[in-house]
Amino acid sequence: MRADTNKLKGEGMNQYKGKSVYGGIAIGRIHLMEKNKQRIMRNKIEDTAAEIRRFDAARAEAKRQLAKLYNSAAAEVGEANAAIFEIHQLLLDDEDYVGSVKNIIREQGVNAEYAVGVTEDNFCEMFSSMDDAYMKERAADMKDISEHVIKILSDTDADFATPDEPVIILADDLAPSETARLDKNLVLSFVTVHGSVNSHTAILARMMGIPAVIGTEIALSPELEGKIAVVDGFEGSVYINPDNETLTRMRKRHDDAQKEQRLVQKLKGKENVTKDGKKILVYANIGNIRELDDVLENDAGGVGLFRSEFVYLERKTCPTEEEQFQIYKKAAETMAGKRVIIRTIDIGADKQAGYFGLEKEANPAMGLRAIRICLKRPEIFKAQLRAIYRASKYGNVAVMYPMITSLEEIRKIKAVSAEVKAELDKENIPYNNVEEGIMIETPAAAMISDILAKEVDFFSIGTNDLSQYTMAVDRQNPQLDEFFNPHHEAVLRMIEITCKNAHAADIWVGICGELGADLELTERFLRMGVDELSVPPSRVLPLRNRIRNLDLSRAVN
Ligand code: PEP
Ligand code: MG
């Protein structure tokens, strides 16, 4: 995901760029949501046992409210996406958290509000200072549950004033519970100054299907209240006081998007076939099994990329073979015979798990990541392969390896794979035949794809990394936007070469990077002979729509 944070100013109209969380256009008035930061007093308490009971009662009430919130969110956005409210209930029982609050009340003889506030600060500081991006985000969860308990303890209702007409919510950041408490009918869009695209709030916004842009760097001020704004969730742009030309353009885009939305819903159950009869596989990308609901809901033909590293990133320690097996088995069973392509871990670069103990590198994107870690740490690699092979018994499982650059790597992978299978045979553990593919995401792999194609069952082109390595543009660096051309001819030619070489060796080839969902390129990809496109679940039906409107028998202009 590219981070765009430039702010561009025009006459009267202000345009801000941020990160898009969900596509769509919203036009309406801004409603500022500013938190009434609760002022917490430090009071001396004589009866600390009674104060601890008061804290426990508030905790119980918070859990009760969260359970209620879980039920309504589950009904609205599905159980998987409402899971955050279950996690918050569990956090309210966390021994370290509860122990800390009680200890402060007991040792310092202070009120519960103060003890919760201090614990919140300590935990947030601890989580924020961790290297692991996932753990950093847990600071927001700690803040959310603590503020919730404090609100109950002090009996204040710090909720935001509810708007009485549909508005564009503009806030510094939103906690998941705040996002879920908003009446969906009154919210046209979310715009936040902070927040991360992988945060739970972002995920929830995406699931609620509301255009949302985060990280906009808008200076919040009371004058913004009531101003007309346009949120372009497709481009990650926000226009405040839009001029007439922008308003007209955006209204048209809004109407087109609405039409497309209605249209694509009718495409469930239909084939991905062009007017002239060319069929193509459309699969979905996932990072965890909670997203399988979306994969099925959007009628994807399979999972084209299961980014298994997220199974590792969600944990404080390395997941065991058994834990992984249960997850992959669940994916295979849920997809019920549809192909599930599990990519072995792509840890490293922007996806760091503290417990891997990787050294800091000057050039992490070109460093020890993905298959390189697996080949250097065979014990980690073997445990994952065992789990994948074991899960193959429960459905149609395929495996693919990221960041391949040479034939030697494939040979080494094959040796490890053979060792793992021999061990499973010896232990009488059954497994099915598993298709073995590689990602083509380095220029090296694309250029020798004729050689590599003879060694594997399929290719999946990772255009995100292929683009960054081809154009030498760091995909994480927002400063380089102007140098990043997603349609660069060099990348497209490499995709074409890869397709030709795959077919010459009689193997299939797909695209699982972001470019696969770029509808401007669908025709070109189909003409190149791409056999499969794997895209975020929400992009499956729009892509099907595009495919069904293409006619490849017509000459290209
Ligand atoms: C890619 O590089 O295009 C890809 C699909 O992998 P990731 O985005 O996880 O690096
Ligand atoms: Mg990649």
Side-chain angles (χ1 to χ4, degrees):
M1 183 69 59
R2 298 181 59 71
D4 306 303
T5 48
N6 337 337
K7 181 180 133 183
L8 312 162
K9 281 209 165 186
E11 279 283 280
M13 172 175 84
N14 284 333
Q15 181 185 353
Y16 301 85
K17 288 284 270 176
K19 292 177 240 175
S20 171
V21 169
Y22 191 78
I25 306 285
I27 303 171
R29 290 191 187 280
I30 291 175
H31 180 59
L32 271 179
M33 293 213 344
E34 285 185 287
K35 284 180 213 255
N36 317 327
K37 181 80 188 136
Q38 304 176 69
R39 279 197 43 196
I40 302 168
M41 307 295 284
R42 184 179 194 276
N43 297 328
K44 271 287 184 206
I45 296 291
E46 291 298 323
D47 189 349
T48 54
E51 194 62 9
I52 286 175
R53 282 197 298 278
R54 198 166 77 84
F55 165 61
D56 278 335
R59 211 158 49 89
E61 173 58 18
K63 285 196 288 178
R64 197 190 60 73
Q65 291 180 7
L66 282 166
K68 218 171 122 198
L69 214 48
Y70 171 83
N71 289 336
S72 56
E76 184 124 346
V77 295
E79 279 175 24
N81 298 301
I84 186 67
F85 302 115
E86 268 188 328
I87 296 171
H88 280 191
Q89 287 175 66
L90 291 176
L91 285 178
L92 281 166
D93 281 332
D94 181 83
E95 269 178 34
D96 292 340
Y97 178 78
V98 174
S100 161
V101 175
K102 292 187 177 174
N103 206 32
I104 294 171
I105 297 176
R106 209 177 291 117
E107 298 299 317
Q108 299 184 24
V110 289
N111 54 326
E113 289 89 333
Y114 180 79
V116 173
V118 172
T119 302
E120 172 189 336
D121 288 346
N122 292 343
F123 274 65
C124 284
E125 201 180 307
M126 179 180 78
F127 283 126
S128 308
S129 66
M130 289 182 177
D131 279 341
D132 185 315
Y134 178 79
M135 294 314 287
K136 266 192 201 312
E137 285 187 12
R138 300 292 65 79
D141 293 329
M142 278 299 165
K143 204 163 165 6
D144 200 14
I145 60 160
S146 304
E147 298 288 320
H148 194 169
V149 172
I150 292 170
K151 200 164 78 182
I152 294 168
L153 280 168
S154 45
D155 200 22
T156 57
D157 189 358
D159 264 352
F160 304 107
T162 323
D164 47 16
E165 59 166 342
V167 287
I168 293 168
I169 300 285
L170 176 57
D172 186 54
D173 200 358
L174 289 165
S177 57
E178 289 162 349
T179 317
R181 268 197 292 262
L182 290 167
D183 179 348
K184 213 179 130 188
N185 297 318
L186 293 176
V187 181
L188 297 170
S189 166
F190 296 124
V191 177
T192 65
V193 179
H194 295 110
S196 114
V197 273
N198 292 315
S199 67
H200 290 104
T201 300
I203 292 166
L204 210 54
R206 219 174 276 143
M207 295 308 157
M208 285 166 84
I210 295 174
V213 179
I214 62 175
T216 54
E217 294 184 3
I218 297 175
L220 297 185
S221 80
E223 299 98 75
L224 292 175
E225 178 73 30
K227 284 218 165 24
I228 295 284
V230 176
V231 181
D232 180 350
F234 298 114
E235 301 292 333
S237 295
V238 180
Y239 304 85
I240 298 181
N241 280 338
D243 55 28
N244 284 342
E245 189 274 318
T246 307
L247 260 181
T248 315
R249 193 162 44 90
M250 288 298 152
R251 280 204 183 105
K252 169 144 184 2
R253 211 138 182 224
H254 174 263
D255 293 349
D256 291 348
Q258 295 265 323
K259 252 187 252 156
E260 184 187 295
Q261 183 67 17
R262 279 195 296 275
L263 193 83
V264 296
Q265 289 307 312
K266 295 192 188 135
L267 293 179
K268 287 186 188 166
K270 299 247 165 80
E271 280 189 314
N272 307 303
V273 61
T274 60
K275 285 186 193 296
D276 55 317
K278 165 129 179 101
K279 286 189 192 160
I280 177 167
L281 300 170
V282 176
Y283 288 175
N285 297 345
I286 59 167
N288 60 56
I289 49 173
R290 298 186 294 277
E291 287 169 87
L292 288 169
D293 285 350
D294 295 332
V295 175
L296 295 175
E297 175 59 29
N298 287 285
D299 197 28
V303 171
L305 167 64
F306 182 168
R307 289 182 162 100
S308 71
E309 60 275 9
F310 285 100
V311 172
Y312 289 65
L313 297 174
E314 285 182 2
R315 283 176 169 67
K316 287 187 198 153
T317 54
C318 201
T320 62
E321 173 192 326
E322 186 57 29
E323 282 169 330
Q324 291 189 66
F325 163 63
Q326 293 300 341
I327 291 168
Y328 306 148
K329 172 173 176 255
K330 171 97 180 149
E333 283 176 341
T334 307
M335 292 309 291
K338 291 180 175 166
R339 203 187 252 139
V340 177
I341 305 176
I342 302 170
R343 170 176 77 185
T344 57
I345 49 168
D346 186 7
I347 299 276
D350 57 317
K351 290 178 266 189
Q352 293 288 343
Y355 57 82
F356 270 69
L358 300 175
E359 279 174 26
K360 279 231 169 323
E361 296 173 298
N363 246 325
M366 298 197 194
L368 188 56
R369 62 175 284 199
I371 198 66
R372 298 171 184 176
I373 296 183
C374 287
L375 293 176
K376 276 173 100 72
R377 307 245 186 114
E379 70 293 351
I380 293 177
F381 193 26
K382 282 170 79 174
Q384 181 168 35
L385 279 183
R386 277 179 67 102
I388 294 173
Y389 290 152
R390 284 172 59 197
S392 68
K393 235 12 239 164
Y394 300 85
N396 182 357
V397 171
V399 60
M400 72 176 170
Y401 305 98
M403 288 295 294
I404 297 295
T405 59
S406 71
L407 181 60
E408 289 66 40
E409 286 159 356
I410 298 183
R411 298 254 156 90
K412 285 184 187 156
I413 292 168
K414 284 188 175 176
V416 180
S417 159
E419 236 178 87
V420 168
K421 286 182 179 168
E423 280 170 20
L424 292 173
D425 290 340
K426 209 161 141 206
E427 295 164 43
N428 278 326
I429 298 176
Y431 54 90
N432 284 353
N433 184 31
V434 170
E435 273 183 295
E436 308 252 349
I438 54 169
M439 290 193 67
I440 301 289
E441 51 182 348
T442 63
M447 298 317 286
I448 58 163
S449 50
D450 54 333
I451 301 171
L452 304 181
K454 297 190 185 111
E455 302 288 328
V456 296
D457 298 319
F458 67 92
F459 285 158
S460 187
I461 305 173
T463 51
N464 308 336
D465 279 313
L466 187 60
S467 302
Q468 92 162 332
Y469 296 128
T470 304
M471 287 179 267
V473 171
D474 179 353
R475 64 193 265 196
Q476 304 296 331
N477 187 346
Q479 312 283 347
L480 298 177
D481 258 8
E482 60 190 290
F483 302 103
F484 184 87
N485 170 9
H487 294 187
H488 198 298
E489 196 52 35
V491 176
L492 296 172
R493 283 190 201 178
M494 279 199 227
I495 297 174
E496 189 157 28
I497 291 171
T498 304
C499 290
K500 275 203 188 111
N501 288 333
H503 292 155
D506 232 358
I507 64 169
W508 64 268
V509 53
I511 297 179
C512 63
E514 299 286 301
L515 227 49
D518 186 332
L519 303 184
E520 282 177 38
L521 291 173
T522 313
E523 174 162 5
R524 186 137 180 210
F525 290 152
L526 263 67
R527 287 188 188 275
M528 287 178 189
V530 169
D531 301 291
E532 175 246 20
L533 290 168
S534 192
V535 298
S538 63
R539 305 302 300 154
V540 168
L541 292 173
L543 177 57
R544 177 171 300 164
N545 185 35
R546 178 84 187 115
I547 293 166
R548 291 174 66 87
N549 281 303
L550 289 175
D551 184 353
L552 304 179
S553 65
R554 281 172 37 180
V556 213
N557 306 325

